[in-house]
Amino acid sequence: MGMKEIILSSKNKKDVQEIKEIYRNNLIFHYVDRVDEVYRLAIQKDKIPDAKVWDGSLLSTNREA
């Protein structure tokens, strides 16, 4: 099984192209510029059961010390 898809910053595209093709075969690379693109790619109903739709707002957490 293993990893099939990788999400990277668009700035890393040239670095990935330097990796030998034999290591890149059978992998799908997604290049993004913003964090909302990561959420759209990574949190999808077909990838994560019961995934929540991100509305673009920041989540706040209350942590007690």
Side-chain angles (χ1 to χ4, degrees):
M1 187 138 250
M3 288 190 300
K4 296 178 184 176
E5 297 184 50
I6 300 172
I7 302 171
L8 294 168
S9 168
S10 297
K11 295 177 183 178
N12 293 111
K13 190 170 188 173
K14 64 181 180 343
D15 299 319
V16 171
Q17 293 171 342
E18 293 176 7
I19 299 170
K20 291 182 181 182
E21 188 173 345
I22 190 169
Y23 301 115
R24 293 183 286 138
N25 281 346
N26 301 316
L27 291 174
I28 299 170
F29 291 91
H30 301 277
Y31 299 99
V32 300
D33 295 307
R34 298 182 325 267
V35 70
D36 63 307
E37 295 173 281
V38 174
Y39 285 112
R40 276 188 244 130
L41 287 165
I43 302 176
Q44 298 177 11
K45 290 187 183 254
D46 63 326
K47 295 183 186 216
I48 299 175
D50 300 318
K52 306 296 182 225
V53 176
W54 184 59
D55 64 3
S57 64
L58 295 175
L59 301 175
S60 64
T61 59
N62 292 328
R63 295 184 185 171
E64 294 183 27

